[in-house]
Amino acid sequence: MDLSKNSHSSIASDAIRAAQGDAGAHTVSRKFFTMGTVANIVLVGGTEDMLDDLVRTAEFLQSLWSRFLPESDITRLNNAEGATVTVNPLTAKLVSEMLAARTLTDGEYDPTILPKLLEEGYAASRINPANVTVLPASARWPVDTKGTTIQDNVVTLPIGVTLDSGGIGKGIAADILATMALERGALGILAEIGGDIRIGGTPPDGTHWRIDIEDPYVESRSIARVNLADGAVATSSTLKRTWDNDGRSANHLIDVHTGQSMASNVVTVSVVAVSSGIAEVITKAGFTRKDFLSWVPTLGAAAFVVYRDGTTAQSVNWKDYS
Amino acid sequence: MALFIATKARILVTVATAGAMFAGVAGLQAQAQEATARANAAETASTATAPTIAAPTATATTTKKKKKKKTKVAAVVVQAPVAQKKATPKSHGSSGGSK
């Protein structure tokens, strides 16, 4: 049976599951490194060839979106100084999603924060320190994105605007991998890049996907569990990717109210949402927004936060997914 | 080099046809232009309204009200795992924020 020719309809799922008995559909998985972090893919009813294609796609997206690579679309945009740049259509999509996400989160997620991130000491790649983000002298923050144009696959950023695809890029990449796998005939998929997870289709046991939220203080220990039929989970933490910046503890999350590393009482924010890209950007608001847990349900999402003292809290609708 | 280019082209074609959310160049362009207009409007409007998005699909506690929301995948209503008398099911993945 050539699974790649099957749709991921429930009828096909049921038929294959029935043919394979209680063991469920065949599952293949792959753990690999991309976008400066670890990624995992679990395919139900998929093949090793599909996994190969998904890994190559992730690498391709990294080549487009990494701010550390001199020829990436994002690097060329950041150094265009107001000139138009022809980019891959997926990059045009990424830029539009970044701007939309800023609106969605009332500015708590800010894709233009990159100059401050560099000031905090995150200029060089953690994986290959020889790869350094270089911005033009005009780069600044805060900056007005009004005047940004996206015409087909030609993007123009106003002078001074630079973009960091770090978090949202991983989330959207997970969304792309999941969509692609189901489109190509996999029955189900879990695509995870650096804690941004998108699931869809039939889970390995035929019931639902189970995602554990990692305890930020005890690695590999679960502090909460999410049960989903379709959707995404993303987690951001101030305890990961930290470094010393002239005697001050710095991390990869920048507070849009101060322009410095996040110094919140919240250390980890997990969000369940319809897509990984959306879940990812909503997590950022969890570190600063005082009404975060009551605000999140208005976006069709749910949230779980861990405070510095180890206590936890959740939005009222979190129980719908746990 | 030729092989590398061919591989990239294959990936590009694959990604560009990878479903409704990323429905090819035409769809991307339309969405990008819409987002641009929306972002610019948001910058100038004093009272920006957050875009409405669909909710993810829960498993055990999906209600009729939730079914009215336009999710791309029909809700799969199943019983939640019973903690008592059963071993804890293994998770399929974990989210820890190591970005």
mmCIF file with all atom_site columns, all heavy atoms in Angstrom, chain A residues 93 145 179 194-195 210 212 225 230 235 241 280 299 320, chain B residues 15 18 31 43 53 57 66 89-90 92-93 95 97 99:
data_model
loop_
_atom_site.group_PDB
_atom_site.id
_atom_site.type_symbol
_atom_site.label_atom_id
_atom_site.label_alt_id
_atom_site.label_comp_id
_atom_site.label_asym_id
_atom_site.label_entity_id
_atom_site.label_seq_id
_atom_site.pdbx_PDB_ins_code
_atom_site.Cartn_x
_atom_site.Cartn_y
_atom_site.Cartn_z
_atom_site.occupancy
_atom_site.B_iso_or_equiv
_atom_site.pdbx_formal_charge
_atom_site.auth_seq_id
_atom_site.auth_comp_id
_atom_site.auth_asym_id
_atom_site.auth_atom_id
_atom_site.pdbx_PDB_model_num
ATOM 1   N N   . LYS A 1 93  ? 5.271   35.779 3.191  1.00 0.00 ? 93  LYS A N   1
ATOM 2   C CA  . LYS A 1 93  ? 4.231   35.319 4.115  1.00 0.00 ? 93  LYS A CA  1
ATOM 3   C C   . LYS A 1 93  ? 4.679   35.502 5.563  1.00 0.00 ? 93  LYS A C   1
ATOM 4   O O   . LYS A 1 93  ? 3.906   35.955 6.416  1.00 0.00 ? 93  LYS A O   1
ATOM 5   C CB  . LYS A 1 93  ? 3.945   33.841 3.832  1.00 0.00 ? 93  LYS A CB  1
ATOM 6   C CG  . LYS A 1 93  ? 3.050   33.148 4.841  1.00 0.00 ? 93  LYS A CG  1
ATOM 7   C CD  . LYS A 1 93  ? 1.639   33.651 4.782  1.00 0.00 ? 93  LYS A CD  1
ATOM 8   C CE  . LYS A 1 93  ? 0.747   32.834 5.704  1.00 0.00 ? 93  LYS A CE  1
ATOM 9   N NZ  . LYS A 1 93  ? -0.592  33.434 5.809  1.00 0.00 ? 93  LYS A NZ  1
ATOM 10  N N   . THR A 1 145 ? 6.571   50.679 11.731 1.00 0.00 ? 145 THR A N   1
ATOM 11  C CA  . THR A 1 145 ? 6.569   49.809 10.543 1.00 0.00 ? 145 THR A CA  1
ATOM 12  C C   . THR A 1 145 ? 5.621   50.315 9.462  1.00 0.00 ? 145 THR A C   1
ATOM 13  O O   . THR A 1 145 ? 5.496   49.688 8.410  1.00 0.00 ? 145 THR A O   1
ATOM 14  C CB  . THR A 1 145 ? 6.160   48.367 10.904 1.00 0.00 ? 145 THR A CB  1
ATOM 15  O OG1 . THR A 1 145 ? 4.880   48.391 11.530 1.00 0.00 ? 145 THR A OG1 1
ATOM 16  C CG2 . THR A 1 145 ? 7.183   47.729 11.823 1.00 0.00 ? 145 THR A CG2 1
ATOM 17  N N   . THR A 1 179 ? 1.353   20.973 7.707  1.00 0.00 ? 179 THR A N   1
ATOM 18  C CA  . THR A 1 179 ? 0.452   21.101 6.558  1.00 0.00 ? 179 THR A CA  1
ATOM 19  C C   . THR A 1 179 ? 0.966   20.287 5.377  1.00 0.00 ? 179 THR A C   1
ATOM 20  O O   . THR A 1 179 ? 0.212   19.586 4.696  1.00 0.00 ? 179 THR A O   1
ATOM 21  C CB  . THR A 1 179 ? 0.335   22.583 6.147  1.00 0.00 ? 179 THR A CB  1
ATOM 22  O OG1 . THR A 1 179 ? -0.093  23.340 7.278  1.00 0.00 ? 179 THR A OG1 1
ATOM 23  C CG2 . THR A 1 179 ? -0.673  22.761 5.026  1.00 0.00 ? 179 THR A CG2 1
ATOM 24  N N   . GLY A 1 194 ? 12.038  23.521 18.629 1.00 0.00 ? 194 GLY A N   1
ATOM 25  C CA  . GLY A 1 194 ? 12.383  24.336 19.787 1.00 0.00 ? 194 GLY A CA  1
ATOM 26  C C   . GLY A 1 194 ? 11.229  24.623 20.734 1.00 0.00 ? 194 GLY A C   1
ATOM 27  O O   . GLY A 1 194 ? 11.147  25.703 21.304 1.00 0.00 ? 194 GLY A O   1
ATOM 28  N N   . GLY A 1 195 ? 10.344  23.672 20.909 1.00 0.00 ? 195 GLY A N   1
ATOM 29  C CA  . GLY A 1 195 ? 9.231   23.855 21.838 1.00 0.00 ? 195 GLY A CA  1
ATOM 30  C C   . GLY A 1 195 ? 7.961   24.374 21.193 1.00 0.00 ? 195 GLY A C   1
ATOM 31  O O   . GLY A 1 195 ? 6.935   24.480 21.860 1.00 0.00 ? 195 GLY A O   1
ATOM 32  N N   . ARG A 1 210 ? -0.969  13.808 22.822 1.00 0.00 ? 210 ARG A N   1
ATOM 33  C CA  . ARG A 1 210 ? -0.647  14.227 24.199 1.00 0.00 ? 210 ARG A CA  1
ATOM 34  C C   . ARG A 1 210 ? 0.698   14.951 24.203 1.00 0.00 ? 210 ARG A C   1
ATOM 35  O O   . ARG A 1 210 ? 1.717   14.383 23.781 1.00 0.00 ? 210 ARG A O   1
ATOM 36  C CB  . ARG A 1 210 ? -0.578  13.012 25.129 1.00 0.00 ? 210 ARG A CB  1
ATOM 37  C CG  . ARG A 1 210 ? -1.915  12.309 25.318 1.00 0.00 ? 210 ARG A CG  1
ATOM 38  C CD  . ARG A 1 210 ? -1.804  11.177 26.318 1.00 0.00 ? 210 ARG A CD  1
ATOM 39  N NE  . ARG A 1 210 ? -0.948  10.103 25.838 1.00 0.00 ? 210 ARG A NE  1
ATOM 40  C CZ  . ARG A 1 210 ? -1.373  9.084  25.090 1.00 0.00 ? 210 ARG A CZ  1
ATOM 41  N NH1 . ARG A 1 210 ? -2.641  9.009  24.745 1.00 0.00 ? 210 ARG A NH1 1
ATOM 42  N NH2 . ARG A 1 210 ? -0.535  8.140  24.690 1.00 0.00 ? 210 ARG A NH2 1
ATOM 43  N N   . ASP A 1 212 ? 3.368   17.016 26.633 1.00 0.00 ? 212 ASP A N   1
ATOM 44  C CA  . ASP A 1 212 ? 3.763   17.391 27.984 1.00 0.00 ? 212 ASP A CA  1
ATOM 45  C C   . ASP A 1 212 ? 4.435   18.758 27.985 1.00 0.00 ? 212 ASP A C   1
ATOM 46  O O   . ASP A 1 212 ? 5.221   19.076 27.088 1.00 0.00 ? 212 ASP A O   1
ATOM 47  C CB  . ASP A 1 212 ? 4.747   16.361 28.557 1.00 0.00 ? 212 ASP A CB  1
ATOM 48  C CG  . ASP A 1 212 ? 4.026   15.118 29.059 1.00 0.00 ? 212 ASP A CG  1
ATOM 49  O OD1 . ASP A 1 212 ? 2.820   15.215 29.345 1.00 0.00 ? 212 ASP A OD1 1
ATOM 50  O OD2 . ASP A 1 212 ? 4.669   14.060 29.156 1.00 0.00 ? 212 ASP A OD2 1
ATOM 51  N N   . ARG A 1 225 ? -0.006  18.659 31.111 1.00 0.00 ? 225 ARG A N   1
ATOM 52  C CA  . ARG A 1 225 ? -0.208  17.903 29.875 1.00 0.00 ? 225 ARG A CA  1
ATOM 53  C C   . ARG A 1 225 ? -1.339  18.511 29.056 1.00 0.00 ? 225 ARG A C   1
ATOM 54  O O   . ARG A 1 225 ? -2.354  18.940 29.602 1.00 0.00 ? 225 ARG A O   1
ATOM 55  C CB  . ARG A 1 225 ? -0.510  16.441 30.163 1.00 0.00 ? 225 ARG A CB  1
ATOM 56  C CG  . ARG A 1 225 ? -0.878  15.638 28.932 1.00 0.00 ? 225 ARG A CG  1
ATOM 57  C CD  . ARG A 1 225 ? -0.875  14.164 29.161 1.00 0.00 ? 225 ARG A CD  1
ATOM 58  N NE  . ARG A 1 225 ? 0.487   13.643 29.261 1.00 0.00 ? 225 ARG A NE  1
ATOM 59  C CZ  . ARG A 1 225 ? 0.772   12.344 29.314 1.00 0.00 ? 225 ARG A CZ  1
ATOM 60  N NH1 . ARG A 1 225 ? -0.193  11.452 29.317 1.00 0.00 ? 225 ARG A NH1 1
ATOM 61  N NH2 . ARG A 1 225 ? 2.025   11.934 29.387 1.00 0.00 ? 225 ARG A NH2 1
ATOM 62  N N   . ASP A 1 230 ? -6.425  18.719 17.249 1.00 0.00 ? 230 ASP A N   1
ATOM 63  C CA  . ASP A 1 230 ? -5.824  19.519 16.181 1.00 0.00 ? 230 ASP A CA  1
ATOM 64  C C   . ASP A 1 230 ? -5.434  20.864 16.766 1.00 0.00 ? 230 ASP A C   1
ATOM 65  O O   . ASP A 1 230 ? -6.183  21.449 17.549 1.00 0.00 ? 230 ASP A O   1
ATOM 66  C CB  . ASP A 1 230 ? -6.822  19.718 15.035 1.00 0.00 ? 230 ASP A CB  1
ATOM 67  C CG  . ASP A 1 230 ? -6.218  20.504 13.901 1.00 0.00 ? 230 ASP A CG  1
ATOM 68  O OD1 . ASP A 1 230 ? -5.267  20.000 13.279 1.00 0.00 ? 230 ASP A OD1 1
ATOM 69  O OD2 . ASP A 1 230 ? -6.671  21.629 13.645 1.00 0.00 ? 230 ASP A OD2 1
ATOM 70  N N   . THR A 1 235 ? 5.838   27.032 23.810 1.00 0.00 ? 235 THR A N   1
ATOM 71  C CA  . THR A 1 235 ? 6.334   27.444 25.124 1.00 0.00 ? 235 THR A CA  1
ATOM 72  C C   . THR A 1 235 ? 7.531   28.374 24.951 1.00 0.00 ? 235 THR A C   1
ATOM 73  O O   . THR A 1 235 ? 8.409   28.108 24.122 1.00 0.00 ? 235 THR A O   1
ATOM 74  C CB  . THR A 1 235 ? 6.760   26.213 25.951 1.00 0.00 ? 235 THR A CB  1
ATOM 75  O OG1 . THR A 1 235 ? 5.629   25.378 26.169 1.00 0.00 ? 235 THR A OG1 1
ATOM 76  C CG2 . THR A 1 235 ? 7.331   26.638 27.303 1.00 0.00 ? 235 THR A CG2 1
ATOM 77  N N   . ARG A 1 241 ? 18.495  29.860 26.926 1.00 0.00 ? 241 ARG A N   1
ATOM 78  C CA  . ARG A 1 241 ? 19.292  30.824 26.162 1.00 0.00 ? 241 ARG A CA  1
ATOM 79  C C   . ARG A 1 241 ? 19.579  32.075 26.987 1.00 0.00 ? 241 ARG A C   1
ATOM 80  O O   . ARG A 1 241 ? 19.156  33.181 26.663 1.00 0.00 ? 241 ARG A O   1
ATOM 81  C CB  . ARG A 1 241 ? 18.600  31.189 24.868 1.00 0.00 ? 241 ARG A CB  1
ATOM 82  C CG  . ARG A 1 241 ? 18.472  30.011 23.949 1.00 0.00 ? 241 ARG A CG  1
ATOM 83  C CD  . ARG A 1 241 ? 18.286  30.388 22.506 1.00 0.00 ? 241 ARG A CD  1
ATOM 84  N NE  . ARG A 1 241 ? 18.098  29.178 21.722 1.00 0.00 ? 241 ARG A NE  1
ATOM 85  C CZ  . ARG A 1 241 ? 18.415  29.047 20.457 1.00 0.00 ? 241 ARG A CZ  1
ATOM 86  N NH1 . ARG A 1 241 ? 18.925  30.055 19.812 1.00 0.00 ? 241 ARG A NH1 1
ATOM 87  N NH2 . ARG A 1 241 ? 18.214  27.916 19.829 1.00 0.00 ? 241 ARG A NH2 1
ATOM 88  N N   . GLU A 1 280 ? 3.035   30.792 19.420 1.00 0.00 ? 280 GLU A N   1
ATOM 89  C CA  . GLU A 1 280 ? 4.367   31.316 19.754 1.00 0.00 ? 280 GLU A CA  1
ATOM 90  C C   . GLU A 1 280 ? 4.332   32.805 20.108 1.00 0.00 ? 280 GLU A C   1
ATOM 91  O O   . GLU A 1 280 ? 4.879   33.228 21.129 1.00 0.00 ? 280 GLU A O   1
ATOM 92  C CB  . GLU A 1 280 ? 5.304   31.062 18.566 1.00 0.00 ? 280 GLU A CB  1
ATOM 93  C CG  . GLU A 1 280 ? 6.535   31.920 18.474 1.00 0.00 ? 280 GLU A CG  1
ATOM 94  C CD  . GLU A 1 280 ? 7.493   31.743 19.629 1.00 0.00 ? 280 GLU A CD  1
ATOM 95  O OE1 . GLU A 1 280 ? 7.557   30.630 20.190 1.00 0.00 ? 280 GLU A OE1 1
ATOM 96  O OE2 . GLU A 1 280 ? 8.179   32.720 19.980 1.00 0.00 ? 280 GLU A OE2 1
ATOM 97  N N   . LEU A 1 299 ? -8.634  35.427 22.429 1.00 0.00 ? 299 LEU A N   1
ATOM 98  C CA  . LEU A 1 299 ? -7.955  35.179 21.153 1.00 0.00 ? 299 LEU A CA  1
ATOM 99  C C   . LEU A 1 299 ? -8.215  33.768 20.643 1.00 0.00 ? 299 LEU A C   1
ATOM 100 O O   . LEU A 1 299 ? -7.646  33.352 19.633 1.00 0.00 ? 299 LEU A O   1
ATOM 101 C CB  . LEU A 1 299 ? -6.441  35.374 21.323 1.00 0.00 ? 299 LEU A CB  1
ATOM 102 C CG  . LEU A 1 299 ? -5.965  36.726 21.848 1.00 0.00 ? 299 LEU A CG  1
ATOM 103 C CD1 . LEU A 1 299 ? -4.453  36.723 22.021 1.00 0.00 ? 299 LEU A CD1 1
ATOM 104 C CD2 . LEU A 1 299 ? -6.396  37.848 20.929 1.00 0.00 ? 299 LEU A CD2 1
ATOM 105 N N   . ASP A 1 320 ? -9.926  22.803 29.117 1.00 0.00 ? 320 ASP A N   1
ATOM 106 C CA  . ASP A 1 320 ? -10.500 22.221 27.898 1.00 0.00 ? 320 ASP A CA  1
ATOM 107 C C   . ASP A 1 320 ? -9.469  21.398 27.127 1.00 0.00 ? 320 ASP A C   1
ATOM 108 O O   . ASP A 1 320 ? -9.844  20.558 26.294 1.00 0.00 ? 320 ASP A O   1
ATOM 109 C CB  . ASP A 1 320 ? -11.033 23.320 26.963 1.00 0.00 ? 320 ASP A CB  1
ATOM 110 C CG  . ASP A 1 320 ? -12.201 24.074 27.573 1.00 0.00 ? 320 ASP A CG  1
ATOM 111 O OD1 . ASP A 1 320 ? -12.764 23.577 28.569 1.00 0.00 ? 320 ASP A OD1 1
ATOM 112 O OD2 . ASP A 1 320 ? -12.532 25.157 27.061 1.00 0.00 ? 320 ASP A OD2 1
ATOM 113 N N   . VAL B 2 15  ? 6.538   22.963 -0.923 1.00 0.00 ? 15  VAL B N   1
ATOM 114 C CA  . VAL B 2 15  ? 6.019   23.864 0.103  1.00 0.00 ? 15  VAL B CA  1
ATOM 115 C C   . VAL B 2 15  ? 4.920   24.753 -0.454 1.00 0.00 ? 15  VAL B C   1
ATOM 116 O O   . VAL B 2 15  ? 3.907   24.992 0.188  1.00 0.00 ? 15  VAL B O   1
ATOM 117 C CB  . VAL B 2 15  ? 7.172   24.716 0.676  1.00 0.00 ? 15  VAL B CB  1
ATOM 118 C CG1 . VAL B 2 15  ? 6.622   25.801 1.577  1.00 0.00 ? 15  VAL B CG1 1
ATOM 119 C CG2 . VAL B 2 15  ? 8.131   23.834 1.451  1.00 0.00 ? 15  VAL B CG2 1
ATOM 120 N N   . ALA B 2 18  ? 1.535   23.175 -0.312 1.00 0.00 ? 18  ALA B N   1
ATOM 121 C CA  . ALA B 2 18  ? 1.338   22.401 0.919  1.00 0.00 ? 18  ALA B CA  1
ATOM 122 C C   . ALA B 2 18  ? 0.065   22.756 1.673  1.00 0.00 ? 18  ALA B C   1
ATOM 123 O O   . ALA B 2 18  ? 0.080   22.903 2.871  1.00 0.00 ? 18  ALA B O   1
ATOM 124 C CB  . ALA B 2 18  ? 2.552   22.545 1.825  1.00 0.00 ? 18  ALA B CB  1
ATOM 125 N N   . GLN B 2 31  ? -2.611  37.047 0.779  1.00 0.00 ? 31  GLN B N   1
ATOM 126 C CA  . GLN B 2 31  ? -2.543  37.166 2.235  1.00 0.00 ? 31  GLN B CA  1
ATOM 127 C C   . GLN B 2 31  ? -1.529  38.213 2.649  1.00 0.00 ? 31  GLN B C   1
ATOM 128 O O   . GLN B 2 31  ? -1.735  38.964 3.598  1.00 0.00 ? 31  GLN B O   1
ATOM 129 C CB  . GLN B 2 31  ? -2.173  35.813 2.842  1.00 0.00 ? 31  GLN B CB  1
ATOM 130 C CG  . GLN B 2 31  ? -3.268  34.786 2.704  1.00 0.00 ? 31  GLN B CG  1
ATOM 131 C CD  . GLN B 2 31  ? -2.835  33.442 3.272  1.00 0.00 ? 31  GLN B CD  1
ATOM 132 O OE1 . GLN B 2 31  ? -2.183  33.370 4.291  1.00 0.00 ? 31  GLN B OE1 1
ATOM 133 N NE2 . GLN B 2 31  ? -3.208  32.378 2.602  1.00 0.00 ? 31  GLN B NE2 1
ATOM 134 N N   . GLU B 2 43  ? -1.522  50.675 12.416 1.00 0.00 ? 43  GLU B N   1
ATOM 135 C CA  . GLU B 2 43  ? -0.587  51.690 12.888 1.00 0.00 ? 43  GLU B CA  1
ATOM 136 C C   . GLU B 2 43  ? -1.260  53.054 12.983 1.00 0.00 ? 43  GLU B C   1
ATOM 137 O O   . GLU B 2 43  ? -0.936  53.870 13.835 1.00 0.00 ? 43  GLU B O   1
ATOM 138 C CB  . GLU B 2 43  ? 0.609   51.780 11.926 1.00 0.00 ? 43  GLU B CB  1
ATOM 139 C CG  . GLU B 2 43  ? 1.516   50.571 11.950 1.00 0.00 ? 43  GLU B CG  1
ATOM 140 C CD  . GLU B 2 43  ? 2.390   50.530 13.180 1.00 0.00 ? 43  GLU B CD  1
ATOM 141 O OE1 . GLU B 2 43  ? 2.421   51.526 13.926 1.00 0.00 ? 43  GLU B OE1 1
ATOM 142 O OE2 . GLU B 2 43  ? 3.038   49.497 13.410 1.00 0.00 ? 43  GLU B OE2 1
ATOM 143 N N   . ILE B 2 53  ? -9.346  34.804 15.490 1.00 0.00 ? 53  ILE B N   1
ATOM 144 C CA  . ILE B 2 53  ? -8.745  33.549 15.062 1.00 0.00 ? 53  ILE B CA  1
ATOM 145 C C   . ILE B 2 53  ? -9.533  32.392 15.628 1.00 0.00 ? 53  ILE B C   1
ATOM 146 O O   . ILE B 2 53  ? -10.213 32.521 16.634 1.00 0.00 ? 53  ILE B O   1
ATOM 147 C CB  . ILE B 2 53  ? -7.280  33.438 15.500 1.00 0.00 ? 53  ILE B CB  1
ATOM 148 C CG1 . ILE B 2 53  ? -7.169  33.583 17.026 1.00 0.00 ? 53  ILE B CG1 1
ATOM 149 C CG2 . ILE B 2 53  ? -6.443  34.471 14.806 1.00 0.00 ? 53  ILE B CG2 1
ATOM 150 C CD1 . ILE B 2 53  ? -5.781  33.406 17.537 1.00 0.00 ? 53  ILE B CD1 1
ATOM 151 N N   . THR B 2 57  ? -8.576  22.639 18.508 1.00 0.00 ? 57  THR B N   1
ATOM 152 C CA  . THR B 2 57  ? -9.590  21.643 18.788 1.00 0.00 ? 57  THR B CA  1
ATOM 153 C C   . THR B 2 57  ? -9.224  20.825 20.014 1.00 0.00 ? 57  THR B C   1
ATOM 154 O O   . THR B 2 57  ? -8.219  20.128 20.020 1.00 0.00 ? 57  THR B O   1
ATOM 155 C CB  . THR B 2 57  ? -9.754  20.704 17.583 1.00 0.00 ? 57  THR B CB  1
ATOM 156 O OG1 . THR B 2 57  ? -9.942  21.496 16.415 1.00 0.00 ? 57  THR B OG1 1
ATOM 157 C CG2 . THR B 2 57  ? -10.940 19.779 17.779 1.00 0.00 ? 57  THR B CG2 1
ATOM 158 N N   . LYS B 2 66  ? -18.525 24.965 20.861 1.00 0.00 ? 66  LYS B N   1
ATOM 159 C CA  . LYS B 2 66  ? -17.231 24.998 20.180 1.00 0.00 ? 66  LYS B CA  1
ATOM 160 C C   . LYS B 2 66  ? -17.328 24.455 18.770 1.00 0.00 ? 66  LYS B C   1
ATOM 161 O O   . LYS B 2 66  ? -16.603 24.868 17.901 1.00 0.00 ? 66  LYS B O   1
ATOM 162 C CB  . LYS B 2 66  ? -16.208 24.206 20.976 1.00 0.00 ? 66  LYS B CB  1
ATOM 163 C CG  . LYS B 2 66  ? -15.743 24.975 22.163 1.00 0.00 ? 66  LYS B CG  1
ATOM 164 C CD  . LYS B 2 66  ? -14.556 24.342 22.775 1.00 0.00 ? 66  LYS B CD  1
ATOM 165 C CE  . LYS B 2 66  ? -14.060 25.252 23.870 1.00 0.00 ? 66  LYS B CE  1
ATOM 166 N NZ  . LYS B 2 66  ? -13.034 24.640 24.645 1.00 0.00 ? 66  LYS B NZ  1
ATOM 167 N N   . PRO B 2 89  ? -0.463  7.314  30.115 1.00 0.00 ? 89  PRO B N   1
ATOM 168 C CA  . PRO B 2 89  ? -0.064  7.171  28.720 1.00 0.00 ? 89  PRO B CA  1
ATOM 169 C C   . PRO B 2 89  ? 1.188   7.990  28.437 1.00 0.00 ? 89  PRO B C   1
ATOM 170 O O   . PRO B 2 89  ? 1.374   9.065  28.987 1.00 0.00 ? 89  PRO B O   1
ATOM 171 C CB  . PRO B 2 89  ? -1.262  7.737  27.957 1.00 0.00 ? 89  PRO B CB  1
ATOM 172 C CG  . PRO B 2 89  ? -2.385  7.747  28.921 1.00 0.00 ? 89  PRO B CG  1
ATOM 173 C CD  . PRO B 2 89  ? -1.772  7.922  30.260 1.00 0.00 ? 89  PRO B CD  1
ATOM 174 N N   . LYS B 2 90  ? 1.999   7.465  27.574 1.00 0.00 ? 90  LYS B N   1
ATOM 175 C CA  . LYS B 2 90  ? 3.200   8.182  27.186 1.00 0.00 ? 90  LYS B CA  1
ATOM 176 C C   . LYS B 2 90  ? 2.823   9.380  26.313 1.00 0.00 ? 90  LYS B C   1
ATOM 177 O O   . LYS B 2 90  ? 1.912   9.295  25.495 1.00 0.00 ? 90  LYS B O   1
ATOM 178 C CB  . LYS B 2 90  ? 4.107   7.241  26.396 1.00 0.00 ? 90  LYS B CB  1
ATOM 179 C CG  . LYS B 2 90  ? 5.447   7.830  26.042 1.00 0.00 ? 90  LYS B CG  1
ATOM 180 C CD  . LYS B 2 90  ? 6.251   6.805  25.257 1.00 0.00 ? 90  LYS B CD  1
ATOM 181 C CE  . LYS B 2 90  ? 7.586   7.413  24.834 1.00 0.00 ? 90  LYS B CE  1
ATOM 182 N NZ  . LYS B 2 90  ? 8.341   6.476  23.997 1.00 0.00 ? 90  LYS B NZ  1
ATOM 183 N N   . HIS B 2 92  ? 3.365   12.287 23.365 1.00 0.00 ? 92  HIS B N   1
ATOM 184 C CA  . HIS B 2 92  ? 3.909   12.238 22.015 1.00 0.00 ? 92  HIS B CA  1
ATOM 185 C C   . HIS B 2 92  ? 4.989   13.271 21.791 1.00 0.00 ? 92  HIS B C   1
ATOM 186 O O   . HIS B 2 92  ? 5.730   13.215 20.812 1.00 0.00 ? 92  HIS B O   1
ATOM 187 C CB  . HIS B 2 92  ? 2.772   12.444 21.006 1.00 0.00 ? 92  HIS B CB  1
ATOM 188 C CG  . HIS B 2 92  ? 1.694   11.425 21.127 1.00 0.00 ? 92  HIS B CG  1
ATOM 189 N ND1 . HIS B 2 92  ? 0.393   11.743 21.449 1.00 0.00 ? 92  HIS B ND1 1
ATOM 190 C CD2 . HIS B 2 92  ? 1.732   10.075 21.037 1.00 0.00 ? 92  HIS B CD2 1
ATOM 191 C CE1 . HIS B 2 92  ? -0.336  10.628 21.506 1.00 0.00 ? 92  HIS B CE1 1
ATOM 192 N NE2 . HIS B 2 92  ? 0.453   9.618  21.268 1.00 0.00 ? 92  HIS B NE2 1
ATOM 193 N N   . GLY B 2 93  ? 5.067   14.241 22.666 1.00 0.00 ? 93  GLY B N   1
ATOM 194 C CA  . GLY B 2 93  ? 6.081   15.280 22.532 1.00 0.00 ? 93  GLY B CA  1
ATOM 195 C C   . GLY B 2 93  ? 6.057   16.173 23.739 1.00 0.00 ? 93  GLY B C   1
ATOM 196 O O   . GLY B 2 93  ? 5.194   16.041 24.603 1.00 0.00 ? 93  GLY B O   1
ATOM 197 N N   . SER B 2 95  ? 6.900   20.388 25.202 1.00 0.00 ? 95  SER B N   1
ATOM 198 C CA  . SER B 2 95  ? 7.125   21.783 24.853 1.00 0.00 ? 95  SER B CA  1
ATOM 199 C C   . SER B 2 95  ? 7.848   22.449 26.006 1.00 0.00 ? 95  SER B C   1
ATOM 200 O O   . SER B 2 95  ? 7.315   22.548 27.105 1.00 0.00 ? 95  SER B O   1
ATOM 201 C CB  . SER B 2 95  ? 5.784   22.471 24.583 1.00 0.00 ? 95  SER B CB  1
ATOM 202 O OG  . SER B 2 95  ? 5.973   23.808 24.214 1.00 0.00 ? 95  SER B OG  1
ATOM 203 N N   . GLY B 2 97  ? 10.251  25.317 25.423 1.00 0.00 ? 97  GLY B N   1
ATOM 204 C CA  . GLY B 2 97  ? 10.695  26.688 25.173 1.00 0.00 ? 97  GLY B CA  1
ATOM 205 C C   . GLY B 2 97  ? 12.184  26.846 24.941 1.00 0.00 ? 97  GLY B C   1
ATOM 206 O O   . GLY B 2 97  ? 12.758  27.873 25.277 1.00 0.00 ? 97  GLY B O   1
ATOM 207 N N   . LYS B 2 99  ? 13.972  27.769 22.604 1.00 0.00 ? 99  LYS B N   1
ATOM 208 C CA  . LYS B 2 99  ? 14.211  28.502 21.362 1.00 0.00 ? 99  LYS B CA  1
ATOM 209 C C   . LYS B 2 99  ? 15.348  29.495 21.538 1.00 0.00 ? 99  LYS B C   1
ATOM 210 O O   . LYS B 2 99  ? 15.547  30.001 22.606 1.00 0.00 ? 99  LYS B O   1
ATOM 211 C CB  . LYS B 2 99  ? 12.949  29.255 20.949 1.00 0.00 ? 99  LYS B CB  1
ATOM 212 C CG  . LYS B 2 99  ? 11.869  28.339 20.468 1.00 0.00 ? 99  LYS B CG  1
ATOM 213 C CD  . LYS B 2 99  ? 10.626  29.087 20.118 1.00 0.00 ? 99  LYS B CD  1
ATOM 214 C CE  . LYS B 2 99  ? 9.864   29.512 21.338 1.00 0.00 ? 99  LYS B CE  1
ATOM 215 N NZ  . LYS B 2 99  ? 9.346   28.439 22.140 1.00 0.00 ? 99  LYS B NZ  1
#
